[in-house]
Amino acid sequence: MSIPETMTAMLLTGHGGPDKLELRHDVPVPRPGPGEVLVEISACGMNNTDIKVREGSYGAEDDPNAVSTWRTRASEESTLQFPRIQGADTVGQIVAVGEGVPETRVGERIMVDFCIYNRPEGDDSLRDIDYYGHGRDGGFAEYMTVATGNAIKVESDMDDAELATFSCAYQTGEHMIARADLAKGETVLITGAAGGVGSGIIQLARARGAIPYAVTSRGKEDVLKELGAEATIPRQDFQGPNGVDEQAFIDRVESAMGGREIDVVADLVGGDLFNGLLRLLRPEGRYTTAGTIGGAVVPLDTRTLYLKHLQLHGSSQGRRQDFRRVVRYIEEGKIKSILHKTWKLSDLHRAQADFVSKTYVGKMAVVPDSKWEQVGAKHGG
C-alpha cells in the first residue's frame, strides 16, 4: 500500500488545559527503524494518564502539588518532550516493517502493548518503565511506530474500537492483582469499579476464579453485576457532606460481603477511603493501588499496617506476561469490551471533557476521522 508523507495527529504542546492539544494535518508519518513496525491506527482508547500528563498533575515526591509529568522522582529526568502525541491503547494494522522484522508481519491486526520496558525480555523490573504516548509518540494520530515486540497480533471477533478498550486499563489491572497474588476462591474489593481499570479487574478477577466486590456510584450497579461483581456498594450509602463516613463504609461493605473476609483490596480511589480499606482487610491481607482519583495524600495509621501484617503494593502499568495474559483472555472469550462510546480524533477536546465526567461505565475510544465511517460511527459519540 502507499504510505503518505504526512498525517493528521493531535499534538500535546505543553502542560495545561485542553488548549494545549493542537490538531495538525501536516505531521510527518514516522518511518520504522530497525526492529520496529509502522502501524496504521484505527482506534485508540482514552485513559486518566492522558489528562494527568497534560495537566502535569502527578506531583513530585518532595511536593505533591508540583507541576510534574508521569515521572515524579527528583532523580529521574522526564522522557516527555513537547510536542508529543499521546494515546496508549492503540489498535491497528501493520503496514510496513523496519530492518530485521519479517515482511510477513505486514497486514497483521495488532494491539499495542503500551509499555516501553527499556529492559531485555526476561527482565521483569519496572523501575525504569515508560510508555507510548509519553516517552514516545502514541496513538492519537493516523500512524505510529512501535517495537515489533510491542505489536501483539490478536485474533478476536471484537472490532478495532472494542479492542482499544483493553491495553492500559487491563494490563494495569492484571498486574495489580498478579502482584497481590489474588488466587482462585479469594475475594477482592475494588474501588472506582466503574472506571476502565476497575471494571477490567472485575472481569480479570473472575477469569482467575476470584470473587470481586465493587464500590461504585449508584446507577451503575446492574452493569457491574453483569460483568461479574458479586455485590456492589454504592458510594452514596456512606458519603456524607463532609466526606466518607468511615464506619458507615465499613458496615456497608461487611454487610455486602455476607460474612466473607476481604483477601485483597484493589484501590483506584485513595483519598478518605484509604484508612477504612486497610481496616476492612483481613489479617495478612494485601492492598494494591494504581490510582488516586479521590485524593493522593492519605492518612495512614501504621498500627493497622503492622499489627495486621498487611502488604501494600503500588502498581503502574504491567509486565509483558501481564499483557499477553490479557490478550489470551480476549481470544478465549473470558473478558469482553466495555466500550461506552467512540469519538473522532478531531473532537478530542470534547471527548476528554466527557471522559472526566465519570458518568459512564468502562472506556471511550478515539478514532481517526479518516477511519470514522469504517470503525467509529457505529459506536459514535
Side-chain angles (χ1 to χ4, degrees):
M1 64 169 291
S2 176
I3 298 170
E5 292 296 319
T6 60
M7 66 178 180
T8 298
M10 189 68 76
L11 301 182
L12 177 66
T13 60
H15 291 307
D19 60 297
K20 294 298 184 180
L21 293 169
E22 179 182 343
L23 187 69
R24 294 279 300 275
H25 302 287
D26 59 351
V27 178
V29 172
R31 294 295 186 256
E36 295 182 344
V37 300
L38 176 67
V39 179
E40 183 178 14
I41 298 164
S42 39
C44 186
M46 298 170 62
N47 294 284
N48 284 319
T49 190
D50 303 326
I51 312 296
K52 292 174 73 69
V53 166
R54 169 172 59 75
E55 294 174 338
S57 59
Y58 276 104
E61 286 184 330
D62 58 351
D63 182 2
N65 298 313
V67 174
S68 172
T69 182
W70 177 72
R71 299 281 193 183
T72 62
R73 290 169 55 191
S75 60
E76 291 181 317
E77 182 177 352
S78 176
T79 57
L80 177 66
Q81 297 180 357
F82 301 117
R84 172 66 75 217
I85 301 172
Q86 294 184 285
D89 293 359
T90 309
V91 174
Q93 183 181 55
I94 295 176
V95 293
V97 297
E99 180 184 346
V101 181
E103 287 282 346
T104 53
R105 295 220 63 187
V106 173
E108 289 182 3
R109 182 169 76 141
I110 60 95
M111 294 172 58
V112 173
D113 176 350
F114 77 114
C115 297
I116 301 172
Y117 295 100
N118 293 316
R119 288 171 183 249
E121 187 89 31
D123 186 341
D124 288 337
S125 173
L126 301 181
R127 64 178 299 160
D128 53 1
I129 199 167
D130 207 333
Y131 71 91
Y132 288 92
H134 182 275
R136 284 185 55 171
D137 285 339
F140 290 160
E142 293 180 308
Y143 294 88
M144 70 180 292
T145 54
V146 301
T148 185
N150 287 73
I152 309 300
K153 184 179 179 180
V154 59
E155 302 284 351
S156 172
D157 292 335
M158 296 184 205
D159 64 34
D160 289 358
E162 291 169 329
L163 287 176
T165 62
F166 289 107
S167 180
C168 180
Y170 282 66
Q171 186 175 13
T172 298
E174 180 65 17
H175 184 56
M176 286 175 69
I177 59 178
R179 285 202 73 199
D181 201 23
L182 179 66
K184 181 178 180 179
E186 288 193 317
T187 60
V188 54
L189 179 67
I190 306 159
T191 68
V197 180
S199 57
I201 292 175
I202 292 173
Q203 295 193 77
L204 294 168
R206 286 294 186 186
R208 60 174 60 207
I211 306 165
Y213 292 80
V215 180
T216 187
S217 298
R218 190 170 290 128
K220 301 175 181 178
E221 302 98 314
D222 290 345
V223 177
L224 298 187
K225 287 179 181 177
E226 289 174 9
L227 291 176
E230 189 77 4
T232 60
I233 301 94
R235 284 189 62 93
Q236 289 84 350
D237 288 0
F238 55 82
Q239 185 85 40
N242 298 316
V244 168
D245 182 330
E246 187 173 299
Q247 192 57 51
F249 171 54
I250 291 170
D251 292 343
R252 184 66 183 83
V253 172
E254 289 179 340
S255 175
M257 299 286 295
R260 285 193 175 105
E261 291 187 311
I262 299 174
D263 299 294
V264 172
V265 161
D267 183 21
L268 301 161
V269 174
D272 50 7
L273 281 182
F274 179 78
N275 194 61
L277 292 169
L278 297 194
R279 289 177 59 191
L280 279 161
L281 272 171
R282 68 164 172 84
E284 298 185 339
R286 290 95 73 196
Y287 169 96
T288 179
T289 182
T292 56
I293 59 174
V297 179
V298 298
L300 169 62
D301 186 336
T302 55
R303 294 167 297 187
T304 304
L305 176 62
Y306 73 77
L307 291 173
K308 293 176 73 174
H309 304 276
L310 301 180
Q311 297 179 33
L312 302 186
H313 295 275
S315 290
S316 176
Q317 303 171 234
R319 303 163 298 179
R320 294 176 178 91
Q321 58 263 43
D322 298 317
F323 189 84
R324 290 165 185 167
R325 270 197 306 276
V326 170
V327 172
R328 187 177 77 242
Y329 290 151
I330 291 169
E331 295 183 332
E332 293 174 349
K334 291 184 176 180
I335 56 178
K336 64 180 182 179
S337 173
I338 316 166
L339 177 60
H340 175 61
K341 72 166 102 171
T342 51
W343 289 86
K344 290 182 180 179
L345 176 62
S346 59
D347 280 336
L348 184 59
H349 298 82
R350 288 200 303 135
Q352 288 195 346
D354 193 11
F355 176 85
V356 300
S357 72
K358 302 300 180 185
T359 57
Y360 56 92
V361 176
K363 293 289 294 287
M364 297 187 193
V366 172
V367 175
D369 292 37
S370 57
K371 298 284 187 181
W372 181 252
E373 293 303 322
Q374 176 187 351
V375 177
K378 63 181 173 181
H379 306 290

